Amino acid sequence: MASRREAEASSEQLLVRNSSGNAAFTQQGTIDWAALSRTTVSASIAVMARVSAAGVDPFTIAVGQLMLSKFRLSVLGEHRLTTALSKLPSFSGYGNTLWFGFGIKNIVRTLAMTAEGRNCVMLCASLAEVHSPQMSARILSAMVDLHKGPGSKGLTPSLEQWLSLVKMCSGVLSASPFAVTAEHMMGLAGDVKVAVGAKHKRVAGDPVDVAVALDAIARISNGSLLSVTLIGGSECAWLAAVAHWFFEIDVEFKNAAEQSLEKDSQPTDRPRVLVIFNENSAIQRHFGVVVASETYVIRGLKDNIFEFSEVSNHDITGRVTWQEAIQQTFGESARTLLRQQAVFGSAIGSAARIFQGISKAEPDRGFSRFDIRTWCGYHDSSFGQGYINSAVDLLVELAPLRHKMEAASKASYVDAFGAYQVAIAKLTFLCSCNKCTESPDHKPPFCLPLLAETVIRLI
């Protein structure tokens, strides 16, 4: 029975072996492309079919496993990744012949059966949590170039192949706190809100710089490097999140004046990853990528005019906690809005009453047949008291406004319509954005009336 179970487990694995038949990778420096060309990939037909269905070439997986074999997950990092994999949703149908989501035979689960495969899943999933798929693929491609060595003529996977691998692993960490941790660390850089104006976007770091920094973290994880200093913007915070969450590496954050912002190591200990938030372009151009043997600068792509455009895949962001989703997304503007409990509560309650009038097609309100036919808010939670209940249940930050909302929702349709207009006018008066004040001076990026209507629309 034991041999049968081992055979079944082996049939579900995708093993990459070198020419000597060993499954483990021993390469610690650049990739030996000559040896890689003699590497064999062994798997059952079923596993290879799932790899093919995912659009990933086995060669890409072999390169990824070899390239990331230097990473050594800590015990806690292993536990966190295992927990994330165990929480992947999967739903069966038609007598377990059809699976939705991450099925029990999903290629991600197969890849995670080996240590090298788990490293691959870990990095691809953590990249996808914060970066766009395209930027994640570019970083992986840059890591391959870093390991190729000078003069290497070996074939490397295309960006499209890395993109397929990233998409395959995307979502593995979505139910874990990793992205929330990354968001908290990026907030230390001064990016205290996720949604920012176009001129103040968080921008990913240069893929080459990120690849160099990831290699340094890998060397810290396997004991070949003691510590590293990262200089740059929010990208450095994501790198620190990876080091902290998967490898239990102590991290410390400092501002441009080298004042400590946060530290999780003991006061007498030297942090193994020190992040200095400094996006001074002049400093970055002067130092380049490597400042010293243990210090790296992560240049932002916004410093390169050829890399940045209004429509780009270079933005990075983590996840916010649901308890403070509005405030963490919209920053000080949201806090100002939530402090106006009477005004904001009246706006939401009046909107609920207006939606009720439309849903019930109240007579003498001027609703046309087209309005009634195209209205989609007929569910009980889309108007009246049901709308208020949904608002409080979905966005707990609105709970203090409940009394004001319920009071406003009991008015007549006409009074509610007028109260809504008055509330928006008051928010316009309180707002200091460029549009409401008609001033060209720099103001907070979010308009209070527009933010209020955004929340009302999202409920």
Side-chain angles (χ1 to χ4, degrees):
M1 290 295 293
S3 60
R4 180 180 177 181
R5 286 194 298 268
E6 292 174 359
E8 290 177 349
S10 178
S11 67
E12 289 299 317
Q13 294 182 4
L14 190 151
L15 298 177
V16 182
R17 300 180 182 274
N18 56 32
S19 57
S20 63
N22 296 323
F25 292 111
T26 59
Q27 187 72 28
Q28 296 296 323
T30 59
I31 293 178
D32 187 346
W33 293 97
L36 182 61
S37 65
R38 298 190 296 271
T39 297
T40 61
V41 179
S42 60
S44 66
I45 293 178
V47 171
M48 296 302 291
R50 294 197 292 273
V51 172
S52 177
V56 182
D57 188 84
F59 177 70
T60 303
I61 295 179
V63 173
Q65 291 183 340
L66 175 59
M67 177 178 66
L68 303 178
S69 61
K70 290 196 297 184
F71 285 98
R72 295 292 184 271
L73 293 173
S74 68
V75 174
L76 181 58
E78 283 273 7
H79 173 72
R80 285 169 169 168
L81 183 59
T82 300
T83 302
L85 289 168
S86 67
K87 291 182 178 180
L88 293 179
S90 59
F91 307 94
S92 64
Y94 298 100
N96 294 337
T97 59
L98 181 63
W99 287 84
F100 303 91
F102 289 87
I104 59 172
K105 295 184 178 181
N106 188 279
I107 187 59
V108 170
R109 301 186 192 276
T110 303
L111 195 59
M113 288 182 176
T114 62
E116 293 79 13
R118 292 172 76 85
N119 290 340
C120 200
V121 172
M122 175 275 297
L123 187 59
C124 291
S126 57
L127 278 167
E129 280 297 291
V130 172
H131 303 79
S132 68
Q134 292 78 9
M135 180 55 59
S136 301
R138 291 183 58 186
I139 292 173
L140 290 172
S141 180
M143 291 187 72
V144 175
D145 294 338
L146 179 67
H147 287 79
K148 283 176 64 175
S152 176
K153 297 181 179 180
L155 299 177
T156 59
S158 65
L159 276 175
E160 195 66 27
Q161 280 296 306
W162 290 123
L163 184 61
S164 297
L165 184 60
V166 169
K167 290 181 177 180
M168 183 182 75
C169 299
S170 179
V172 169
L173 299 176
S174 60
S176 75
F178 171 76
V180 176
T181 300
E183 178 60 37
H184 167 72
M185 291 183 176
M186 286 189 284
L188 296 174
D191 300 325
V192 294
K193 49 189 175 298
V194 177
V196 293
K199 294 182 179 179
H200 305 282
K201 291 181 179 179
R202 290 179 184 167
V203 181
D206 186 286
V208 175
D209 296 346
V210 177
V212 171
L214 283 171
D215 181 71
I217 291 174
R219 287 186 285 140
I220 292 177
S221 73
N222 63 34
S224 59
L225 181 64
L226 178 62
S227 62
V228 65
T229 298
L230 306 175
I231 302 176
S234 297
E235 188 72 80
C236 294
W238 172 79
L239 289 162
V242 172
H244 170 77
W245 217 72
F246 290 106
F247 307 106
E248 296 185 73
I249 298 174
D250 291 337
V251 297
E252 181 180 3
F253 300 90
K254 293 184 178 182
N255 58 19
E258 297 199 18
Q259 298 171 326
S260 182
L261 301 174
E262 186 170 294
K263 182 178 182 180
D264 64 2
S265 58
Q266 297 298 322
T268 57
D269 293 342
R270 178 184 179 185
R272 301 184 68 187
V273 173
L274 172 62
V275 174
I276 300 177
F277 292 122
N278 191 337
E279 299 188 86
N280 188 313
S281 300
I283 293 177
Q284 295 182 7
R285 283 195 297 269
H286 174 71
F287 286 119
V289 178
V290 180
V291 178
S293 60
E294 298 179 353
T295 304
Y296 302 88
V297 172
I298 312 299
R299 296 168 294 185
L301 287 179
K302 63 183 178 182
D303 296 322
N304 189 335
I305 191 173
F306 300 105
E307 295 280 0
F308 185 75
S309 63
E310 289 297 322
V311 181
S312 70
N313 297 305
H314 302 152
D315 302 340
I316 58 175
T317 182
R319 296 178 188 268
V320 298
T321 57
W322 199 250
Q323 291 74 16
E324 295 184 339
I326 302 175
Q327 297 177 67
Q328 291 185 9
T329 302
F330 299 101
E332 187 58 36
S333 298
R335 285 185 279 274
T336 300
L337 179 62
L338 291 172
R339 283 195 292 267
Q340 305 300 319
Q341 295 187 8
V343 178
F344 191 26
S346 175
I348 298 176
S350 299
R353 178 62 183 90
I354 295 170
F355 296 156
Q356 178 178 322
I358 301 174
S359 300
K360 295 186 175 182
E362 295 182 1
D364 303 326
R365 301 304 178 206
F367 301 130
S368 66
R369 289 184 176 271
F370 177 80
D371 294 332
I372 297 174
R373 186 169 61 249
T374 56
W375 176 250
C376 59
Y378 290 104
H379 193 273
D380 290 343
S381 63
S382 300
F383 60 85
Q385 185 63 43
Y387 180 87
I388 295 174
N389 293 338
S390 295
V392 175
D393 290 341
L394 291 173
L395 299 170
V396 295
E397 294 164 284
L398 301 180
L401 285 63
R402 182 169 195 140
H403 177 71
K404 300 295 183 182
M405 290 188 283
E406 291 178 341
S409 68
K410 295 176 181 178
S412 66
Y413 179 89
V414 174
D415 290 343
F417 191 84
Y420 183 82
Q421 291 180 314
V422 170
I424 293 300
K426 289 181 178 179
L427 291 176
T428 302
F429 177 77
L430 294 171
C431 184
S432 58
C433 75
N434 296 341
K435 182 178 180 180
C436 291
T437 60
E438 297 182 356
S439 171
D441 298 335
H442 176 70
K443 301 291 182 179
F446 297 110
C447 173
L448 293 183
L450 183 58
L451 181 55
E453 294 190 336
T454 299
V455 173
I456 292 172
R457 179 66 181 86
L458 289 176
I459 298 174

